[in-house]
Amino acid sequence: MPDRSALGPAAEASGGASTGPARVLVLLYGIFALAAGARAAVQLSTRFAEAPVAYLLSALAAVVYVVATVALVRGGRGGRRTALVAITVELVGVLVVGTLSLVDPAAFPDETVWSGYGRGYGFVPLVLPVLGLLLLRRRGTAD
Amino acid sequence: MTLVLVIPATAVAVLLTLLGLASTVAGRRIGLLHLVGAGVLEALLVVQAVVAGVAMAGGDAPADTPTFLGYLFGVLLIPVAGVLWARSEHTRWAGTVLAVASAAVGVMVWRLLQLWETAGA
């Protein structure tokens, strides 16, 4: 039966692994890939010499987000394995960089996405890998 | 990057976020209201980009121009990506996808204002 409600047609049940809450997570990864990528591009191209280590970590973060986004969209066995590696690196990265940026602020004169455990981004960078790993675990047992 | 634009953009973004969450709660996909909301939001962002472009051509520039430009054009992509990603989603989570995208826009316009007000040369 056609449904023309302004709020949208009735939803279908969440079926496959690439729909439902996973979609929301993929969008978040996409936004962070964009944010971290743009930030790293600006930092590396305009003031690389000021803090090479911090800015290279920014670039690493960007690469990790891009790889995770693509792997989550692709799905399948290979996609899942790539996503698992990327998201694990992401979790380690946010914890290590977050800790270092608090212990040795001089080494991080400019914010990166992972500084202070992602406080510049509402701590989403800290929550994202945890949700990502939970999702992968659920998908892994689903098929 | 002026309050005149940031406030309406934030209002539309918040409204669209609530609308998106409402369809998820109601067990619906996204509908016409969401598309109109996203269209209005995108239009405001385009106006913002034009206004900023004109101001910068006139010699006004934020201190961190590259970052400002990154946000200015990056934010244009978010509602489009959100709508495309939400429209191809057939479960109730389509609305949440759009809600996340509009919430991100709501945050980014304030960051743009902040960057703009840190005036440069």
Side-chain angles (χ1 to χ4, degrees), chain A residues 3 5-15 18-21 23-24 26-28 31 34 39 42 46-47 73 121, chain B residues 19 23 27-34 64 66-67 71 74 77-78 85 88-93 96-97 100-101 104:
Chain A
D3 185 347
S5 158
L7 262 188
E12 294 162 17
S14 177
S18 63
T19 64
R23 280 250 155 172
V24 182
V26 169
L27 178 72
L28 271 173
I31 291 176
L34 178 71
R39 167 161 246 165
V42 167
T46 62
R47 38 182 191 260
V73 171
Y121 292 83
Chain B
L19 212 55
S23 348
R28 305 198 148 264
R29 292 162 61 179
I30 60 165
L32 191 60
L33 262 181
H34 300 87
D64 192 352
T67 305
Y71 271 91
L77 304 176
I78 311 273
W85 200 233
S88 54
E89 170 65 32
H90 293 188
T91 72
R92 55 162 57 203
W93 294 96
T96 306
V97 167
V100 167

Side-chain angles (χ1 to χ4, degrees), chain B residues 18-119:
Chain B
L18 295 176
L19 212 55
L21 294 176
S23 348
T24 297
V25 171
R28 305 198 148 264
R29 292 162 61 179
I30 60 165
L32 191 60
L33 262 181
H34 300 87
L35 296 182
V36 170
V40 172
L41 185 60
E42 182 71 14
L44 284 169
L45 296 175
V46 170
V47 170
Q48 173 180 255
V50 171
V51 168
V54 169
M56 288 175 80
D60 260 346
D64 192 352
T65 305
T67 305
F68 179 79
L69 288 176
Y71 271 91
L72 193 64
F73 292 108
V75 77
L76 290 176
L77 304 176
I78 311 273
V80 178
V83 165
L84 291 178
W85 200 233
R87 267 177 72 98
S88 54
E89 170 65 32
H90 293 188
T91 72
R92 55 162 57 203
W93 294 96
T96 306
V97 167
L98 200 59
V100 167
S102 26
V105 171
V107 173
M108 284 173 81
V109 287
W110 286 94
R111 179 84 183 111
L112 265 168
L113 182 67
Q114 195 185 18
L115 284 165
W116 181 260
E117 286 183 339
T118 317

Side-chain angles (χ1 to χ4, degrees), chain A residues 74-117:
Chain A
R74 277 187 50 226
R77 245 185 124 73
R80 263 207 314 277
R81 205 166 28 215
T82 313
L84 181 65
V85 174
I87 295 174
T88 306
V89 172
E90 180 197 347
L91 183 61
V92 173
V94 72
L95 292 177
V96 170
V97 173
T99 306
L100 284 179
S101 66
L102 295 181
V103 172
D104 184 11
F108 295 86
D110 203 1
E111 295 267 302
T112 72
V113 260
W114 288 340
S115 295
Y117 305 110

